[in-house]
Amino acid sequence: MDRLLTDSRRRGFTLIELLVVIAIIAVLIALLLPAVQAAREAARRIQSTNNLKQMGLALHNYESSNGCFPGSGGSTSSGFSVLARLLPYMEATSAFNAMNFSVSLSSGPPTFQFHPAQTTASRTVISAFLCPSDGRDPLYPSYYQGVPTAGTCYVVNTGSGRGTYYDSRYPTDGVFWDGSAIQFSGFTDGTSNTMLMSQCYLGSGSDTTGPIPGDRLRQIVNIGSTYKPAKDAPGGYTPAANNPDLNALTTNPTAWSGTRGVAWIVGTQVMSGFNAYLPPNSKTPDAYGHGFGWLSARGPHPGGVLTSLGDGSVRFVKDSVNLMTWRALATRAGGEVISSDTL
């Protein structure tokens, strides 16, 4: 009997053996976790790619049905975004029907007031407008003009941002601006060499002052009164608003905005547009005033941004892309020659 008890005790784990096993399991988990995270990110990137493909197809169908691509903002679109116009072509007719296109999205200057008839649509979250890698709550309870809005992670190409093309209230070298009506025949650079859409982060939904916020890539500098609109600047275009050095323009900023992408329904650049003045995911912050300015493509996928092209394809453009190539992709008729090996 004593011998049986002794043998039973010898078959148990010692404390050292148990610690060794735990250590091995911890090492295995540490090795597997990055692979699991990479697999999840790959799946999210595929979903984001599919979202852009769906919107690219919707733009093609819109152009086929209406003879041109939708405009953004302005008197023709009454302030509505390109995304708002695409809803019937994306199986989101209920949100589209909730909008009242017979009235403007908001009143004009000197005061801007969101029209009550649009608030049902403005707060509707559209899953196809959201990148699963972003992770921020897309519903903003009371940010834009004091009404609830739902955000977007995808923005339309308003041009290169060079010269006077940073202000999409007026015709640009891109595809979309206020009241634009570009046809496929206007893509003289070729549809495979012209961007339609890219990515942005959902904004924080709150404005801050002082030093650079910790969540820098979601923030933009509000240059406010120093901003000179392209057509409204006294005496014409000014150097401060024409091919500026954004690093100098945004030195020691005092006002930061969380406005980016917080309302898919609104057609201003800061809400639903981008230009190619800065490269993808630039470390230089965006700069804007009155809803327009130099607003870049940024996204949560490491190393670059997903971009929808005019031929319906979706391409991942690296952060290291040549800046001139990136700007050339933003022009529809710039005459640039783009080599695939430069992307």
Side-chain angles (χ1 to χ4, degrees):
M1 184 68 175
D2 292 340
R3 183 176 179 182
L4 289 174
L5 289 173
T6 301
D7 292 343
S8 177
R9 292 192 187 101
R10 287 176 179 173
R11 285 196 293 271
F13 284 106
T14 66
L15 178 60
I16 294 177
E17 289 172 333
L18 184 61
L19 291 174
V20 169
V21 171
I22 292 174
I24 291 173
I25 293 173
V27 170
L28 291 175
I29 292 174
L31 292 173
L32 289 173
L33 189 58
V36 172
Q37 291 175 334
R40 289 177 176 173
E41 169 56 24
R44 290 191 291 262
R45 180 168 155 178
I46 290 172
Q47 179 60 52
S48 191
T49 299
N50 288 338
N51 289 343
L52 279 168
K53 282 184 176 292
Q54 184 180 356
M55 285 182 280
L57 179 61
L59 282 167
H60 277 237
N61 289 336
Y62 185 101
E63 198 274 348
S64 177
S65 299
N66 297 278
C68 64
F69 287 107
S72 180
S75 58
T76 301
S77 297
S78 302
F80 292 92
S81 69
V82 171
L83 299 179
R85 298 285 180 173
L86 293 183
L87 292 176
Y89 305 90
M90 300 179 62
E91 299 181 354
T93 52
S94 59
F96 181 80
N97 291 335
M99 291 182 284
N100 188 343
F101 287 97
S102 64
V103 297
S104 297
L105 191 61
S106 61
S107 62
T111 61
F112 289 86
Q113 182 64 44
F114 206 95
H115 198 289
Q118 317 296 358
T119 56
T120 298
S122 74
R123 72 179 72 195
T124 302
V125 175
I126 308 296
S127 60
F129 292 166
L130 302 172
C131 174
S133 292
D134 189 286
R136 187 181 290 278
D137 187 345
L139 185 61
Y140 299 84
S142 182
Y143 182 67
Y144 185 76
Q145 294 180 351
V147 300
T149 57
T152 176
C153 296
Y154 305 105
V155 282
V156 298
N157 169 29
T158 64
S160 67
R162 288 183 55 80
T164 60
Y165 296 143
Y166 63 86
D167 193 333
S168 66
R169 287 173 292 183
Y170 309 98
T172 75
D173 55 358
V175 181
F176 305 99
W177 62 83
D178 285 11
S180 62
I182 295 297
Q183 301 174 325
F184 270 123
S185 58
F187 288 61
T188 58
D189 285 348
T191 56
S192 61
N193 293 323
T194 306
M195 293 187 288
L196 295 177
M197 302 183 71
S198 192
Q199 297 181 277
C200 77
Y201 280 102
L202 289 169
S204 63
S206 61
D207 297 339
T208 60
T209 57
I212 296 175
D215 199 0
R216 179 175 180 176
L217 289 183
R218 297 177 188 269
Q219 299 286 343
I220 51 180
V221 178
N222 187 345
I223 53 179
S225 60
T226 64
Y227 172 85
K228 302 296 184 183
K231 300 295 185 183
D232 299 339
Y237 311 125
T238 63
N242 194 343
N243 300 330
D245 179 353
L246 289 187
N247 282 315
L249 188 63
T250 59
T251 298
N252 299 320
T254 59
W256 296 82
S257 173
T259 315
R260 192 75 165 124
V262 304
W264 59 258
I265 196 172
V266 180
T268 57
Q269 274 177 305
V270 71
M271 297 288 183
S272 56
F274 82 100
N275 56 47
Y277 194 75
L278 291 171
N281 294 317
S282 174
K283 297 303 180 184
T284 300
D286 296 341
Y288 91 111
H290 313 295
F292 303 87
W294 300 274
L295 298 151
S296 60
R298 304 180 187 273
H301 309 299
V305 293
L306 291 168
T307 301
S308 171
L309 299 178
D311 61 359
S313 65
V314 176
R315 185 180 300 180
F316 187 73
V317 181
K318 297 179 181 179
D319 296 344
S320 58
V321 63
N322 179 277
L323 182 56
M324 293 300 103
T325 299
W326 174 243
R327 289 174 177 173
L329 283 171
T331 66
R332 69 187 185 281
E336 308 95 343
V337 178
I338 302 174
S339 175
S340 59
D341 58 7
T342 61
L343 297 177

